[in-house]
Every structure is written in structure tokens, then in C-alpha cells.
Amino acid sequence: MIVIRACAGFEELEACVRLQVETWGYEEADVIPRRAFLVAQKIGGQAIGAFDTEISSSQPNGSAESLVGFALSLPGVKACAGGPQPYLHSHMLAVKAAYRDRGLGMRLKLEQRREALARGIRRMEWTFDPLEIKNAFLNIHKLGAMVREYRVNFYGVSSSQLQGGLPTDRLLAEWRLDSPRVKAILDERPAVAQPIEERIQVRIQVPASIYQWKASESGRERALAIQLENRKKFQRAFSQGLAVLGFSLDAEGNGVFELGFPTPAELD
């Protein structure tokens, strides 16, 4: 059984650090230390874990919990028309390889949302790699986040093995936690009266082969070419007021960002 809850104590936060290294393969300079996880919790952020509860005869009570995923967020304040508004920046989400594709990422994000709304926080943001198809599908299709901003080489040089040596370009996901759009998508209802297919102005594709290209020396140049081409497309679309409203997979497994003009209700 997987339990989703706030991390507690040094050992659980240290397990988050280890999983961070296991997931991204960071060198020491890029690793977020345990103390940063602790401080995030103390100042209004989140360190939420996914724990596998297993029977163990070696434990006094016959059970043990092993951290298999976590989500880390930091608190922030955003300048808005009605005055400063608190929000959370979800900086990291990781799941052990053996536990992926089981919906744990979704469960961790939903717990982040539940806990934030309980404190009166209505907005979360995070960045994600525009070449990562699975992340885009979760963030946009499953959670209902929108994207209106492209950040070029946001983190600079990264030691992450997943980055494949490419510039750390990122899209900024905006998650309005209690908006009609997000509520509808989480309930698997149409987000607006007009079908999204009728609103799409631009489609930007990410080839399913991008993972293999990023992971090999011979394919990295092709991956970089896709990154640079899509960068221009996103920047052009965002400059025209378009936003990423949907994300889909085609029959070959390619990812497709779907961009259109957001309604006032979607920006509420």
C-alpha cells in the first residue's frame, strides 16, 4: 500500500535527497541538501512523500515505510492586480524507477493541491522540460496546468543525466488550484463549453524518439535541433498571446502541445 503524507524527521528528508540523486544523477554541486528540505517545510513550503508500507518481521510493529517518491515546493509571493498573492513553486517531484507509471506523480500533485488549498493558497507553479513527454502529459492533460512562458536555459549547465547535455530550457506551468478549468479536468469533464479542438491555433510536436536521442552521443545533435526549433515556435506563440491549453499523444507516441487563446475564466 502506498501512503502519501508530509515527510517527518531527518531520516525521511535524507531519503528525499538520496532519491533526488538516484533520479537525476546530480553531481554534488547540484544536489539540494536535507537542510533545504527542512527549511522549506518550516517556512510554508512542502516536502510530501510517497511511502510503500510493507510487512517486515524485523520491525517492532511488524511494518516499515520506505520512501518511493517525493514532491518539494517552496513558498513565494506574486505581484497581482489585487495585491500580493501567496503561491507555491513546486521545485522537484521524483518517483523511484520501479514505482513509475502507477499514478504516484498524480497522487503527489493532488496532495500538494489539497494541502495548499487547506491553507488558502490558490496557485502553484513549476517548470518542466518541454522535451519530456510524460511530464507534459501529466502537467497539462491530467492536472489542467496552463503554460504561457518559455524560459531559455533556465538553470544553466546541469549535471543531470536526464538533461543529456542540452540547454536547460523550461516551460512554466501555471496551476490555478480551484479554478473551473482545473476542477473540470480533475473531474474528467470538459473544461469549457467550446471543445478545445476548436480553439487550437498552433500545435508543437515532440518526437517519441527524443529520449533515445538525448541519451546517445550520436542522437544529441538531433535532440538539440528539435529543442531549438520548438523554442522558436513556443516563443512566437506566447508573444501572440497564445497559451498551452492541451497536450495529447498521437498514434506513434509523439507528444503534441496544443496552443490557443485562454478565456478570462481560465485565467481566473
Side-chain angles (χ1 to χ4, degrees), residues 180-239:
R181 168 187 166 86
V182 169
K183 288 179 179 178
I185 288 176
L186 292 180
D187 291 339
E188 299 182 349
R189 295 183 285 108
V192 294
Q194 185 182 11
I196 188 172
E197 292 81 5
E198 298 178 6
R199 304 167 58 202
I200 299 307
Q201 305 287 319
V202 173
R203 288 179 169 84
I204 300 175
Q205 185 181 93
V206 181
S209 302
I210 196 71
Y211 296 107
Q212 288 75 34
W213 296 346
K214 288 172 66 175
S216 68
E217 289 290 341
S218 60
R220 202 154 293 156
E221 189 172 328
R222 296 180 70 182
L224 177 60
I226 292 294
Q227 184 186 59
L228 296 178
E229 179 183 353
N230 283 0
R231 177 195 291 178
K232 292 179 181 178
K233 292 178 179 179
F234 277 117
Q235 290 175 325
R236 185 183 308 115
F238 293 154
S239 70

Side-chain angles (χ1 to χ4, degrees), residues 133-195:
I133 294 173
K134 288 184 178 181
N135 287 353
F137 188 81
L138 171 64
N139 296 337
I140 300 163
H141 182 79
K142 301 287 287 185
L143 296 174
M146 285 199 315
V147 179
R148 296 185 294 163
E149 185 177 335
Y150 193 100
R151 297 180 174 179
V152 176
N153 200 26
F154 182 59
Y155 293 109
V157 177
S158 173
S159 61
S160 169
Q161 297 170 359
L162 299 181
Q163 195 61 39
L166 300 183
T168 53
D169 287 15
R170 295 293 184 264
L171 292 171
L172 180 67
E174 304 174 18
W175 203 23
R176 291 164 173 79
L177 303 180
D178 61 350
S179 68
R181 168 187 166 86
V182 169
K183 288 179 179 178
I185 288 176
L186 292 180
D187 291 339
E188 299 182 349
R189 295 183 285 108
V192 294
Q194 185 182 11

Side-chain angles (χ1 to χ4, degrees), residues 47-65:
I48 295 171
F51 297 87
D52 188 354
T53 301
E54 58 186 25
I55 303 300
S56 174
S57 59
S58 64
Q59 298 295 320
N61 60 357
S63 66
E65 287 187 337

